[in-house]
């Protein structure tokens, strides 16, 4: 297991100088965030991330994310040029030493929460999701800004995009996803890079948009489309685990060979399709992180793992889910769990 941490680049208040002080930290997860989706990343920008990490004793080996342009998800003719660009990014990243690319195939919105600062009983606050509150939102009308909303769309662009998705149901999205995989996996083989799809978060449809990467069935179908292990998974425990129907331990075992990257965090179910983000340890949430890591260990997992969203604790403010303190506690907890699991298997 290789311990990693997400870094949003030079503007991130959680600096590499701080990240390197987390015990056991080895790898940086980052991206070129200022190039629009669909375009090719300048090699200098990639090299800069690599050098910044190296000068702090860290290694840049995982990208999160190379975003998939909406025209690819919609299956428009313009996808050919965009897919060529995607493959070029894969090759450039491979040459720079990146081994895993985390991405998602969620239409329009990435991860979504209804509350950004839910007060918890210990005085900290966390992200939370309440399905009723989300169903009452209308993304075409609302001024809301939530973590998974792409701020770069104007209201009219967003409306236009949502209208175009009216013609794309789950089957059509699968077809477009298969097309994407058939184009990018050969480039991955050439570049020695693995794709690791992030599950839809939360794992159910929103605002009438299809969501297809929601659990074990999705992974089975994905594997049939492109059997290569390069067609891999980011096991995001909190996204999958938001639904009690997903047995994350069983998923870890069944798909271990194609899990290249793990986002480890806990959630606490608070009602049907309602959850709060909890501290990482098993006792604080609804997921058993020990069992999940144990399943990975027993399946020979040797990929990258990172602590995922943290609460805001000790008065920290910053990017929701991506402060320093609670994620650092998470990393230390995960490192400790792994050490115990390893040693207990040796005994
Ligand atoms: C949220 C993240 C996601 C993830 C993308 C991958 O905290 O895990 O935004 O980066 O879905 O493309």
């Amino acid at each position: 297991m290789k311990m990693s941490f997400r870094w949003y680049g030079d503007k991130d208040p959680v600096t590499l100088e701080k990240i390197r002080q987390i015990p056991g930290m080895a790898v940086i997860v980052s991206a070129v965030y200022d190039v629009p989706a669909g375009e090719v990343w300048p090699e200098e920008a990639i090299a800069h991330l690599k050098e910044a990490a190296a000068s702090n004793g860290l290694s840049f080996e995982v990208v999160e994310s190379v975003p998939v342009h909406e025209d690819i998800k919609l299956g428009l003719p313009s996808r050919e040029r965009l897919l060529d660009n995607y493959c070029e990014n894969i090759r450039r990243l491979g040459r720079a030493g990146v081994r895993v690319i985390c991405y998602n195939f969620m239409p329009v919105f990435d991860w979504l929460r209804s509350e950004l600062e839910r007060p918890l009983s210990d005085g900290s606050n966390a992200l939370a999701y309440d399905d009723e509150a989300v169903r009452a939102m209308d993304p075409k009308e609302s001024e809301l800004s939530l973590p998974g909303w792409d701020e770069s769309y104007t209201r009219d662009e967003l409306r236009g995009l949502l209208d175009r998705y009216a013609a794309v149901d789950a089957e059509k999205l699968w077809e477009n996803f298969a097309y994407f995989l058939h184009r990018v996996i050969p480039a991955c083989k050439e570049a020695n890079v693995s794709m690791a799809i992030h599950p839809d978060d939360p794992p159910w449809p929103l605002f009438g948009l299809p969501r297809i990467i929601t659990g074990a069935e999705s992974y089975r179908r994905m594997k049939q489309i492109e059997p290569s292990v390069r067609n891999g998974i980011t096991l995001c425990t909190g996204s999958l685990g938001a639904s009690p129907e997903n047995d994350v331990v069983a998923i870890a075992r069944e798909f271990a060979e194609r899990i290249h990257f793990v986002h480890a965090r806990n959630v606490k179910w608070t009602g049907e399709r309602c959850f709060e983000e909890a501290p990482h340890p098993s006792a604080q949430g609804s997921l058993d992180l020990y069992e999940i890591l144990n399943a990975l260990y027993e399946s020979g997992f040797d990929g990258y793992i990172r602590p995922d969203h943290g609460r805001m604790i000790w008065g920290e403010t910053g990017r929701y889910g991506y402060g320093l303190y609670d994620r650092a506690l998470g990393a230390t907890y995960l490192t400790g769990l792994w050490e115990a699991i390893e040693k207990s298997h040796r005994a």
Side-chain angles (χ1 to χ4, degrees):
M1 170 188 97
K2 296 180 267 279
M3 182 53 70
S4 66
F5 208 78
R6 192 170 191 185
W7 179 59
Y8 279 94
D10 294 328
K11 293 191 196 117
D12 194 334
V14 182
T15 60
L16 292 172
E17 287 74 16
K18 292 175 183 164
I19 294 171
R20 71 182 302 188
Q21 293 177 353
I22 302 168
M25 196 49 67
V27 169
I28 278 304
V29 176
S30 195
V32 175
Y33 289 106
D34 53 6
V35 171
E39 299 309 316
V40 175
W41 291 0
E43 292 199 280
E44 311 78 68
I46 299 171
H48 172 70
L49 292 170
K50 189 176 167 168
E51 283 151 21
S55 63
N56 282 283
L58 298 161
S59 168
F60 172 50
E61 293 172 32
V62 181
V63 163
E64 182 175 349
S65 316
V66 180
V68 179
H69 194 281
E70 296 299 329
D71 288 8
I72 297 178
K73 294 179 231 170
L74 286 161
L76 301 182
S78 50
R79 69 179 161 182
E80 296 308 332
R81 180 188 77 87
L82 297 162
L83 285 163
D84 287 343
N85 288 351
Y86 206 100
C87 292
E88 177 58 19
N89 279 330
I90 292 171
R91 287 188 286 269
R92 289 184 178 197
L93 290 167
R95 281 199 297 273
V98 167
R99 300 281 67 96
V100 172
I101 295 175
C102 172
Y103 72 107
N104 73 77
F105 217 78
M106 291 177 247
V108 192
F109 304 106
D110 190 337
W111 59 303
L112 204 120
R113 299 290 180 270
S114 56
E115 256 176 274
L116 304 177
E117 295 180 0
R118 162 92 50 98
L120 304 184
S121 58
D122 61 4
S124 62
N125 66 69
L127 293 148
Y129 179 95
D130 180 301
D131 203 47
E132 216 173 293
V134 171
R135 274 189 282 116
M137 293 174 189
D138 182 354
K140 285 190 182 170
E141 301 303 332
S142 106
E143 292 290 351
L144 272 173
S145 170
L146 294 168
W149 297 42
D150 186 333
E151 304 290 343
S152 64
Y153 296 126
T154 63
R155 176 82 65 82
D156 283 343
E157 280 168 347
L158 184 61
R159 283 195 185 128
L161 191 55
L162 290 167
D163 289 341
R164 276 199 295 280
Y165 270 102
V168 179
D169 60 9
E171 277 313 301
K172 186 74 196 157
L173 191 60
W174 269 111
E175 217 176 276
N176 298 340
F177 181 42
Y179 194 91
F180 169 81
L181 290 176
H182 293 321
R183 282 291 300 272
V184 301
I185 297 303
C188 286
K189 291 181 185 161
E190 218 182 282
N192 187 22
V193 167
S194 295
M195 298 300 288
I197 194 164
H198 190 283
D200 302 347
D201 180 2
W204 48 77
L206 290 170
F207 308 128
L209 293 165
R211 289 195 149 198
I212 56 174
I213 307 299
T214 55
E217 274 311 316
S218 315
Y219 295 138
R220 288 185 198 120
R221 185 160 176 183
M222 197 181 119
K223 191 170 150 181
Q224 264 176 359
I225 294 170
E226 257 297 338
S228 162
V229 292
R230 298 275 179 209
N231 176 21
I233 293 171
T234 295
L235 185 83
C236 178
T237 61
S239 304
L240 292 166
S243 168
E245 284 163 33
N246 279 329
D247 179 343
V248 185
V249 178
I251 291 175
R253 282 192 200 279
E254 180 173 348
F255 302 99
E257 54 154 19
R258 61 191 61 234
I259 296 173
H260 304 302
F261 188 25
V262 177
H263 285 181
R265 69 179 159 89
N266 217 330
V267 287
K268 188 168 165 189
W269 304 319
T270 51
E272 200 182 334
R273 292 195 167 177
C274 292
F275 59 86
E276 276 169 13
E277 296 197 353
H280 287 70
S282 309
Q284 263 73 52
S286 303
L287 306 180
D288 191 325
L289 270 287
Y290 164 80
E291 290 295 351
I292 295 170
L293 261 59
N294 190 48
L296 288 168
Y297 179 88
E298 288 180 349
S299 314
F301 175 71
D302 188 31
Y304 302 90
I305 186 168
R306 70 165 177 81
D308 204 4
H309 306 165
R311 299 160 301 143
M312 285 302 175
I313 62 172
W314 304 332
E316 188 177 21
T317 53
R319 188 187 285 270
Y320 293 110
Y322 286 95
L324 171 63
Y325 303 145
D326 203 32
R327 283 192 300 153
L329 290 179
T332 308
Y333 167 69
L334 296 168
T335 299
L337 271 184
W338 197 258
E339 178 181 344
I341 291 167
E342 256 181 344
K343 289 187 174 163
S344 67
H345 281 78
R346 239 186 267 155

